[in-house]
Amino acid sequence: MIQTVHLGLVALSLAGTANALIVPTSPLTRAFSLSTSSPRSSSVSASSTQLRESKESTFSLSNLFGGGGAATASPNLRGKNGSGGSSSSSKHPSVRPHISPLNRFQKGQEPVQTKPDPLELLPSHPDAVSGVLESNGMPYIILPNKSPPGRFEAHLQVFSGSADELEPQQGIAHLTEHVAYMGSRKRERLFGTGSQTNAYTDFHHTVFYAACPVVTPRGNVPMLPMALDALQDVMEARVETSRLEKERAAVLSEMTMVNTIEYRVECQILSTLHRENRLAKRFPIGKEVLIRNWKNDDVRTWHRTHYRPDNVLLYLVGDIDPAKAVETIEEKFGHISADKQAADISIPALREEAFDLASALNNGSVKAAQSWHFPPVRHDWCVPKDREVAKELQVDTGRVPLVRAADPAEEEGEESPKEDPGYDLQLQESYELDEKVDFLETKHLAPGKDIRPHMFKHELLQAFSLHLFAKRPVEEIVDLDSFRRSMARRVALAALQIRLNVGGRSDDPAFTFVEFNQLDSAREGCAVCSLDMTAEPARWKDAICKSLAEIRKLGLYGVTPGEMERYASSLMTDAEQLAAQGDRISHGDQLSYLMETVANGHTFMSPMQSYQMTVKALSTLTLEEVNQAAAELCSHITGFHKESDGVDGPTIAVACMPKGVEDPENPAYCDEESLTQTIYEACQQEVEPEEDVVVPHTLIPEEELTAAMESNPPEWSNGKFTDGTPDTAPDSLTRPFTLRRLANGIRVGVAPNNAESQRGHLRLVAPGGRDAERRLGFKNGAMAVGSRTMQEGGAFGPWTREQVELFCVDHLLMVEIKCTEESLVFDFVFPTTNVGNLGFGDDVKLGITGTESVMQILREILVGFKWEADALGRSKQSFRSSHESLQKNLEGLSTERVAEAMTSDDPRYLSIDVDSVNDITLDEAKTAVMSQLLPENLEVSIAGDFDVVEVLEMVYKYIGTIPADTNSEYKLESKGIPDWTGRVPTPQEPGRHIELELPDSDPRAVAYVAGASPNAWGYLSDGTTVTERVLQADKRASDFDKQRRSHPLFAFAALGLISEIANRRLFSTVRERKQLTYDANFSFSGFERLLGGWFLVTVTASKEKAQQALDACKETLAALRKNSPITPDNVESAKRVILNRHEGELRTSSYWTHLMSGIQEESVPLKGPLAVTDFGAVVESITARDLQLTLETLSLDEDKLYTAIGRTVLPEGSEINEDEVVRQAPVIGMRRGGALTG
């Protein structure tokens, strides 16, 4: 098991400060998708015996509304009298006049001038084209973009998601997404063209997309019409029984797959945060009992109700001609109309209910009032007393009036109801399928001091976590004034996050993770200000006090002048980098930003326009404005002080913790009352203003570097390789990279990459990792714990850890140090321009470049790092928490058991147990890591938007002057190198099957198939290679075959293609044909330096079908070898995927450093320059026969396989309660991004 150490040591970038200090629990996925390996949802169980599935069931959506002869199962949303449109008309029941989803792209939507002096409006992107089709009013936005050239993306956004579902439709938006896209014949035409297609469902929308080349790889046929054909097919989807059954099975499997404890936590969070609106009862995965019983008409009715021209928005971004694109849009979509869709709405009760829902949302939701992209909800706003919320956003909690005059289905002369009963739009009344959750009511502590608490305790939780929220209206950023306020908020948030990070890495940190942020959320229809914090259960009170004290300090006293200067400068650098990127920003990034900007009603600017407005805003932004923004951000916390007037609206508090602590005297005990009291008391603490820290502008003075040059003159030598490539000269520049060695032994590779403007990536690799722990006789885990200790530290030379951290903040550096099974890896992300600048415009004082600052950090890590006991303590705590959490994670524990069996309990591949962690001393951790940081072992790879000559000069000065004997005092000789060192243990034969049971209140299962395989470069654990085995097996191989298979890259390429083909086969067999799972995945361990490895097939299924799913995976692998071998079509399709992925990743500097790492290492003998220069040619040359023979190097025989099934079982003493909570998965994690990401 790889022990990864994330973002601690000076890992603070203003583009993502919120995640910079301590790794949080697994980040949670934000939406449901057709194909994913990440958790998406949570399982549900039937909550009503009336709706239990039976073999003879004829259950339909209409049953819940009394259709089809069934009794009504829930209260009428329209009230006792009922109302609704007649189903006799062909007019669409949901069509109403509404605000345009184009928002600021709609002509005539310029902000109203409300001040005496006209506001300076933000400029709109000059190249973006928008409009609506004259034939049916369907809107579109087109953005020409050249990165990468020859490709485009088309996204169709349907403005209906789970929040729009009626009572008997819970989960149907997600199921319809599956049926509409997976059932599209036209989508299938994109296969094999290098296109990627997918779809996802959220609270507020469903999105379908296709990312394609401009023309087909063969034939040069334009692909925009083909992509739009696929999306048009979605709008006119056929609902076929065979496809519905396949996707029903996939969604039910998805429920099981995603029902992790992280999602159950998110369910609790969102249910509390949005208790006053529909989101609390409308999670996208829906209700299992409903999903199992829907018929074709049910899905078709949802589709035809919501998939209509006025309720969608088409985005096109890429290398396209806008004029031609508009013509194609009209051609493909112009014939679709709402009336045509209405003709297929065949369930009268749902037609009537949809009519009333449409009327109600237009009269009482942020969707109608502010943005059609928002869900149809209202919010309990939490704002300062002096801030006025727009009247149209102040919606009452009760029933929303229905407007009958606009009923398109009302017969002439028909008498209208005498009384309007209103509509329970926000689902505040009780319904048959509701969860039974016991929430505390909002506690009124004092005027302006309201808190909504909720506790969630579970046996799978390991730590205490607090999630504190305030909901605020989204402020549209449309003019310089609103833009300045957004800049002020970002400066304040960055300052607070860095303070929290520094506090979290103090000598005795109260919390293990903390993040404070405020981001606009279109999916929730509001801006959410959030504090997310985790701590040891026994220290939860201390953690709350420490984190709230920092927030109060910012709210009361604001930022310091030094912080103002630091973070404003960082924002300027970010904007400058983005402007330099220009049209080199990828289609995907452009589209994500475009969709987010449009959804929230902001003005969409070009990178250059954004930079220009940033200069204007920051050049006049004052400390007072930033501190005012800080006061507003923190007002829900500062408002709890007894002398404060408080705020309008509730603060929401959700605490999650392990189950089982019942003694109030136990420090880990927490209930709603003690949680509320602790938060209130923490807000009474007296706090002092923050003091500025002296931050160095450079870590290494020029005189120190000059002395190093004199005492240890650097020198270049040839680059040397083991793949047959001739040595490279020490004084020449080569393409695509320059490869050399320094006289001290350090290998250097430098590659220019201007696709990421003004950004760079540096990777330092020291071969060894956990393999070296045993080879050199260190304690188990010493290398991993030591690398994390280095991450948690950061003091160099005369500088303290805090000063170094802030130096990295000033220079926008991010650092990640991790220990894998085979190496120590140091990754640095940095700007390549001058950073840490002071002032603006003509008065600016330039700092050193980010490139030079990262060279200084790297040099100090190697020669001047200070090892600190408190950093070791934080490192140990991280590993203890990781190991203990593993014991409560079904997937993690199951894979651990497989690894134990396959490696005969080799600790190099397993989690580090608590006793081993506790046994490691600071000196042992230090010696383990430093023994690897010998210049002769190191390889430095650098890629980015820079001048190669300048970078080589910096490497020459900063790295070349490191003495060759640096850290030699830590050098150890291998102690009688055993035969297992440097190779993966060969699994014992025969293989074995493992059954694992994990206590959990919810039913889940996961299955695995594993076996021995070569490493990434084709080496098996016995030292033989794929090439040797393939040539030996094919006695009739031609000279051309032998030449092709002898290429150093052959095995690497062949194994990559096999992985793609295996994944496609698993999808076709296990998901599509047998309908046993939502997702099955094939992967290789991918070691580069260790000989050998393994393959792993992961499949999720229900507990009842886990064995069937496991058998189906084994059957699929066996079929690849025997009765259904690899075909040329399989190979061609896999080649397109591999090559397109490679081309896309070549645009990132991190990929270039990955490619260069190992090129000059003797421990990776087949990896050299040819691995990059010949990649495309080798992949294209591989045949089906090559892959069939390579497949035989995997241990796929039945008696060699290792298999496992992990299942949950009810905890001891638990009973199934028919009335317990029906758990559903949330759609989004609360952690919405970094402080300065906008």
Side-chain angles (χ1 to χ4, degrees):
M1 175 180 175
I2 295 177
Q3 295 296 331
T4 304
V5 183
H6 291 281
L7 301 181
L9 162 72
V10 297
L12 308 171
S13 165
L14 269 294
T17 49
N19 296 325
L21 174 60
I22 300 173
V23 178
T25 53
S26 300
L28 302 176
T29 323
R30 298 171 182 261
F32 293 88
S33 169
L34 285 175
S35 62
T36 177
S37 59
S38 301
R40 296 287 188 186
S41 57
S42 114
S43 67
V44 288
S45 57
S47 63
S48 168
T49 54
Q50 283 183 300
L51 301 178
R52 292 289 180 198
E53 177 189 12
S54 67
K55 293 183 180 179
E56 295 80 21
S57 173
T58 57
F59 183 87
S60 178
L61 286 178
S62 54
N63 292 356
L64 284 185
F65 286 133
T72 300
S74 61
N76 196 316
L77 290 162
R78 299 184 298 272
K80 294 180 181 180
N81 296 335
S83 64
S86 166
S87 60
S88 62
S89 170
S90 64
K91 297 293 185 180
H92 200 289
S94 296
V95 173
R96 299 287 187 284
H98 61 74
I99 57 179
S100 170
L102 291 173
N103 284 338
R104 296 300 164 197
F105 272 100
Q106 185 187 21
K107 294 179 180 179
Q109 289 299 302
E110 292 78 12
V112 176
Q113 302 290 358
T114 58
K115 296 185 177 181
D117 296 326
L119 300 175
E120 180 175 355
L121 301 181
L122 298 179
S124 296
H125 198 301
D127 299 330
V129 175
S130 65
V132 296
L133 298 183
E134 293 184 4
S135 55
N136 57 16
M138 176 177 156
Y140 57 83
I141 298 175
I142 303 169
L143 179 65
N145 194 60
K146 297 293 185 179
S147 179
R151 292 190 67 85
F152 70 92
E153 293 195 23
H155 288 226
L156 180 69
Q157 184 178 23
V158 181
F159 294 109
S160 295
S162 61
D164 298 274
E165 293 166 345
L166 303 174
E167 180 68 7
Q169 292 180 317
Q170 295 178 66
I172 205 165
H174 180 215
L175 180 61
T176 303
E177 166 224 308
H178 277 249
V179 172
Y181 218 21
M182 295 301 291
S184 170
R185 302 289 189 271
K186 294 177 181 178
R187 183 184 70 92
E188 294 176 359
R189 297 174 191 168
L190 302 178
F191 295 169
T193 63
S195 300
Q196 294 88 43
T197 64
N198 213 326
Y200 54 91
T201 299
D202 211 326
F203 282 135
H204 61 315
H205 67 195
T206 303
V207 178
F208 304 85
Y209 69 86
C212 311
V214 170
V215 296
T216 56
R218 289 173 173 77
N220 287 329
V221 178
M223 288 207 64
L224 179 60
M226 296 171 64
L228 296 188
D229 270 337
L231 297 180
Q232 174 256 318
D233 216 23
V234 165
M235 291 288 290
E236 299 181 303
R238 297 171 296 279
V239 183
E240 299 170 343
T241 301
S242 60
R243 177 50 61 184
L244 175 58
E245 293 309 315
K246 288 181 179 180
E247 299 313 316
R248 190 199 312 276
V251 169
L252 291 172
S253 174
E254 187 179 357
M255 282 182 159
T256 300
M257 179 184 78
V258 302
N259 188 27
T260 64
I261 186 60
E262 291 84 6
Y263 272 90
R264 289 177 240 177
V265 167
E266 288 293 325
C267 179
Q268 299 292 324
I269 290 172
L270 285 169
S271 293
T272 308
L273 177 61
H274 298 298
R275 194 187 317 165
E276 75 276 15
N277 65 49
R278 295 177 68 87
L279 301 188
K281 295 184 180 181
R282 289 294 186 266
F283 295 111
I285 199 62
K287 304 287 188 180
E288 182 176 354
V289 66
L290 297 177
I291 295 169
R292 288 189 179 279
N293 287 280
W294 283 322
K295 308 302 179 187
N296 291 12
D297 277 352
D298 300 320
V299 175
R300 188 180 298 109
T301 292
W302 168 267
H303 181 276
R304 300 305 193 258
T305 300
H306 298 278
Y307 287 58
R308 57 183 200 271
D310 74 295
N311 198 46
V312 301
L313 176 56
L314 178 66
Y315 295 89
L316 292 178
V317 174
D319 194 0
I320 50 181
D321 181 318
K324 292 182 179 178
V326 171
E327 294 177 1
T328 308
I329 295 169
E330 179 66 54
E331 175 190 346
K332 301 300 180 183
F333 295 93
H335 65 282
I336 301 172
S337 71
D339 285 353
K340 288 181 180 178
Q341 303 293 72
D344 271 349
I345 300 176
S346 57
I347 302 178
L350 293 181
R351 172 188 282 273
E352 295 179 5
E353 195 68 23
F355 173 86
D356 284 336
L357 174 63
S359 298
L361 74 85
N362 269 300
N363 294 327
S365 70
V366 294
K367 181 183 183 78
Q370 190 167 15
S371 175
W372 198 248
H373 296 248
F374 292 175
V377 297
R378 65 167 296 277
H379 291 291
D380 287 340
W381 305 116
C382 180
V383 297
K385 290 284 188 180
D386 58 356
R387 180 176 175 183
E388 184 177 349
V389 176
K391 185 177 181 180
E392 61 270 20
L393 299 181
Q394 300 178 38
V395 181
D396 293 334
T397 58
R399 285 177 169 261
V400 177
L402 296 174
V403 179
R404 302 294 302 152
D407 186 346
E410 191 171 295
E411 299 288 344
E412 186 176 349
E414 182 179 341
E415 184 178 351
S416 299
K418 295 180 180 180
E419 181 182 349
D420 181 0
Y423 189 88
D424 183 20
L425 180 63
Q426 303 309 332
L427 305 177
Q428 296 300 288
E429 299 168 23
S430 297
Y431 299 92
E432 181 68 26
L433 296 179
D434 283 358
E435 298 179 39
K436 295 174 175 59
V437 180
D438 183 22
F439 290 108
L440 276 184
E441 295 299 319
T442 298
K443 297 181 71 66
H444 182 69
L445 304 179
K449 298 172 176 59
D450 295 337
I451 188 168
R452 180 189 299 171
H454 178 59
M455 301 289 301
F456 176 57
K457 300 182 180 181
H458 199 280
E459 57 271 8
L460 293 185
L461 289 174
Q462 184 67 29
F464 171 90
S465 66
L466 175 70
H467 311 273
L468 203 63
F469 304 104
K471 295 199 285 187
R472 289 151 184 167
V474 172
E475 179 186 2
E476 297 175 348
I477 302 173
V478 296
D479 53 38
L480 186 58
D481 201 26
S482 54
F483 190 73
R484 283 164 55 87
R485 287 194 296 274
S486 73
M487 292 288 106
R489 284 192 295 270
R490 292 170 69 184
V491 169
L493 286 168
L496 177 57
Q497 189 59 54
I498 298 304
R499 292 181 190 178
L500 291 169
N501 286 355
V502 172
R505 293 181 346 106
S506 61
D507 292 348
D508 185 28
F511 36 71
T512 55
F513 168 77
V514 63
E515 177 182 280
F516 185 87
N517 211 342
Q518 177 170 305
L519 290 176
D520 298 338
S521 173
R523 57 177 53 87
E524 293 159 279
C526 61
V528 181
C529 186
S530 59
L531 169 69
D532 296 291
M533 179 266 292
T534 61
E536 291 299 304
R539 300 195 63 185
W540 69 271
K541 289 185 177 181
D542 188 26
I544 288 177
C545 289
K546 292 288 178 62
S547 57
L548 294 190
E550 287 295 342
I551 296 170
R552 292 190 67 245
K553 186 190 300 184
L554 180 78
L556 294 174
Y557 302 113
V559 304
T560 68
E563 289 174 325
M564 169 74 176
E565 188 175 75
R566 176 175 302 119
Y567 304 124
S569 175
S570 297
L571 285 175
M572 185 68 76
T573 301
D574 282 347
E576 184 180 356
Q577 287 183 347
L578 195 65
Q581 192 86 343
D583 61 3
R584 287 175 288 178
I585 300 173
S586 71
H587 303 327
D589 288 344
Q590 286 276 30
L591 205 144
S592 295
Y593 175 58
L594 173 62
M595 292 180 71
E596 178 186 354
T597 302
V598 173
N600 288 301
H602 307 322
T603 297
F604 179 66
M605 296 183 285
S606 71
M608 181 54 69
Q609 290 171 327
S610 181
Y611 169 69
Q612 291 167 344
M613 300 311 294
T614 299
V615 172
K616 280 191 175 184
L618 293 181
S619 61
T620 57
L621 188 66
T622 65
L623 184 63
E624 289 71 26
E625 289 175 299
V626 172
N627 290 343
Q628 175 61 37
E632 292 181 2
L633 285 166
C634 305
S635 59
H636 59 299
I637 304 299
T638 56
F640 277 117
H641 193 274
K642 58 187 177 182
E643 296 181 2
S644 168
D645 292 336
V647 294
D648 288 330
T651 297
I652 297 96
V654 183
C656 306
M657 64 193 64
K659 196 174 185 178
V661 180
E662 305 298 337
D663 181 7
E665 299 301 317
N666 189 323
Y669 178 80
C670 181
D671 60 14
E672 286 88 348
E673 294 297 332
S674 59
L675 174 67
T676 301
Q677 187 63 27
T678 299
I679 291 173
Y680 181 76
E681 291 176 356
C683 292
Q684 310 311 311
Q685 301 173 91
E686 293 301 322
V687 293
E688 298 294 330
E690 186 80 358
E691 293 185 5
D692 262 328
V693 176
V694 176
V695 181
H697 294 291
T698 180
L699 295 177
I700 302 176
E702 188 62 33
E703 56 271 19
E704 181 179 330
L705 195 59
T706 300
M709 293 280 288
E710 293 173 353
S711 62
N712 193 59
E715 186 178 347
W716 289 114
S717 63
N718 294 349
K720 300 179 182 295
F721 317 102
T722 54
D723 69 339
T725 300
D727 291 358
T728 55
D731 56 353
S732 64
L733 300 180
T734 54
R735 288 283 187 174
F737 32 51
T738 296
L739 304 168
R740 301 177 182 175
R741 298 193 184 199
L742 288 160
N744 57 18
I746 297 178
R747 303 154 183 84
V748 177
V750 180
N753 174 41
N754 63 6
E756 293 182 319
S757 293
Q758 300 186 4
R759 297 176 188 175
H761 191 280
L762 183 150
R763 170 169 288 187
L764 170 70
V765 175
R770 297 206 59 199
D771 178 60
E773 289 176 353
R774 293 186 64 174
R775 175 161 45 85
L776 300 177
F778 293 116
K779 288 181 179 178
N780 177 37
M783 197 75 69
V785 171
S787 64
R788 178 76 193 216
T789 301
M790 183 171 272
Q791 179 89 69
E792 292 289 342
F796 306 141
W799 311 115
T800 66
R801 174 179 56 82
E802 186 177 9
Q803 287 176 309
V804 174
E805 284 183 346
L806 293 178
F807 172 85
C808 290
V809 170
D810 284 356
H811 295 82
L812 303 181
L813 303 185
M814 292 183 64
V815 183
E816 180 182 12
I817 305 172
K818 58 187 175 184
C819 175
T820 73
E821 293 92 338
E822 55 183 359
S823 61
L824 291 176
V825 181
F826 298 69
D827 280 311
F828 303 81
V829 179
F830 57 93
T832 57
T833 53
N834 294 90
V835 283
N837 304 333
L838 302 178
F840 302 100
D842 296 335
D843 298 326
V844 68
K845 180 182 178 182
L846 296 179
I848 63 174
T849 66
T851 313
E852 186 167 7
S853 65
V854 83
M855 294 294 174
Q856 294 184 351
I857 292 287
L858 177 58
R859 178 185 173 87
E860 291 299 308
I861 285 176
L862 296 177
V863 304
F865 189 82
K866 292 183 179 178
W867 290 79
E868 301 167 313
D870 61 303
L872 175 68
R874 292 189 294 273
S875 172
K876 286 186 172 185
Q877 182 55 51
S878 173
F879 279 98
R880 285 193 293 263
S881 296
S882 175
H883 183 76
E884 290 168 354
S885 296
L886 179 70
Q887 311 310 309
K888 297 184 177 184
N889 182 282
L890 183 64
E891 292 80 4
L893 193 57
S894 298
T895 53
E896 182 88 343
R897 295 291 177 265
V898 173
E900 289 171 351
M902 291 188 66
T903 66
S904 300
D905 294 317
D906 190 326
R908 293 176 295 170
Y909 308 97
L910 305 177
S911 172
I912 308 170
D913 64 273
V914 172
D915 288 340
S916 295
V917 170
N918 290 338
D919 194 40
I920 297 168
T921 67
L922 180 63
D923 188 59
E924 289 166 341
K926 173 183 178 181
T927 301
V929 172
M930 300 310 290
S931 72
Q932 304 301 291
L933 299 185
L934 309 175
E936 64 193 50
N937 292 341
L938 304 179
E939 184 176 38
V940 175
S941 303
I942 315 165
D945 182 19
F946 45 55
D947 182 281
V948 171
V949 173
E950 290 181 1
V951 171
L952 287 170
E953 289 175 353
M954 290 184 196
V955 172
Y956 187 75
K957 289 192 302 181
Y958 284 103
I959 311 303
T961 53
I962 295 174
D965 61 354
T966 296
N967 300 324
S968 58
E969 66 270 27
Y970 301 103
K971 185 175 182 179
L972 295 175
E973 299 297 333
S974 298
K975 298 185 177 181
I977 302 177
D979 59 6
W980 45 258
T981 298
R983 69 184 71 233
V984 176
T986 302
Q988 296 181 359
E989 297 180 11
R992 53 178 287 201
H993 178 72
I994 302 164
E995 291 279 346
L996 172 74
E997 291 185 341
L998 182 72
D1000 186 359
S1001 55
D1002 284 16
R1004 300 183 65 236
V1006 62
Y1008 298 92
V1009 180
S1013 76
N1015 74 3
W1017 295 95
Y1019 280 92
L1020 288 93
S1021 59
D1022 62 3
T1024 62
T1025 67
V1026 166
T1027 293
E1028 292 169 353
R1029 293 200 179 189
V1030 168
L1031 292 176
Q1032 184 178 10
D1034 192 1
K1035 303 299 184 182
R1036 297 179 298 175
S1038 66
D1039 289 342
F1040 178 70
D1041 291 334
K1042 294 176 182 178
Q1043 181 183 13
R1044 179 178 67 254
R1045 295 166 182 170
S1046 297
H1047 193 286
L1049 193 60
F1050 171 78
F1052 183 92
L1055 291 168
L1057 291 168
I1058 285 174
S1059 181
E1060 289 297 328
I1061 292 169
N1063 274 304
R1064 185 62 195 172
R1065 289 289 186 89
L1066 287 167
F1067 181 89
S1068 300
T1069 302
V1070 187
R1071 184 192 192 277
E1072 290 286 280
R1073 183 160 61 84
K1074 294 183 178 289
Q1075 301 175 25
L1076 294 171
T1077 184
Y1078 171 75
D1079 186 50
N1081 177 263
F1082 179 98
S1083 62
F1084 288 110
S1085 53
F1087 300 130
E1088 289 197 295
R1089 296 162 184 85
L1090 292 171
L1091 303 184
W1094 53 77
F1095 67 85
L1096 182 69
V1097 177
T1098 306
V1099 59
T1100 57
S1102 65
K1103 291 175 64 175
E1104 298 75 19
K1105 293 183 178 180
Q1107 185 63 55
Q1108 290 176 265
L1110 176 63
D1111 292 339
C1113 291
K1114 292 166 61 179
E1115 173 190 320
T1116 302
L1117 296 179
L1120 273 173
R1121 302 175 68 196
K1122 304 297 183 184
N1123 60 331
S1124 184
I1126 296 170
T1127 67
D1129 283 346
N1130 294 155
V1131 179
E1132 288 305 309
S1133 180
K1135 286 178 180 179
R1136 300 282 74 76
V1137 173
I1138 292 286
L1139 292 173
N1140 282 326
R1141 182 186 303 144
H1142 177 68
E1143 287 299 318
E1145 290 180 338
L1146 282 175
R1147 302 184 62 78
T1148 66
S1149 295
S1150 60
Y1151 187 58
W1152 276 104
T1153 61
H1154 168 73
L1155 292 176
M1156 289 187 289
S1157 295
I1159 279 183
Q1160 298 188 73
E1161 284 182 29
E1162 291 76 9
S1163 59
V1164 194
L1166 294 180
K1167 187 173 186 180
L1170 297 179
V1172 179
T1173 58
D1174 290 4
F1175 184 85
V1178 172
V1179 170
E1180 289 285 13
S1181 71
I1182 288 178
T1183 66
R1185 174 69 172 160
D1186 292 332
L1187 298 186
Q1188 207 67 53
L1189 292 168
T1190 301
L1191 195 63
E1192 294 304 311
T1193 66
L1194 279 60
S1195 294
L1196 293 171
D1197 293 339
E1198 175 77 21
D1199 62 346
K1200 295 180 181 178
L1201 294 176
Y1202 281 72
T1203 59
I1205 295 179
R1207 295 184 178 91
T1208 59
V1209 293
L1210 281 175
E1212 187 176 350
S1214 300
E1215 295 181 2
I1216 299 177
N1217 183 357
E1218 296 295 334
D1219 294 325
E1220 72 175 351
V1221 171
V1222 179
R1223 290 184 173 85
Q1224 311 169 82
V1227 68
I1228 177 178
M1230 288 296 98
R1231 299 179 53 253
R1232 294 176 171 79
L1236 292 188
T1237 55

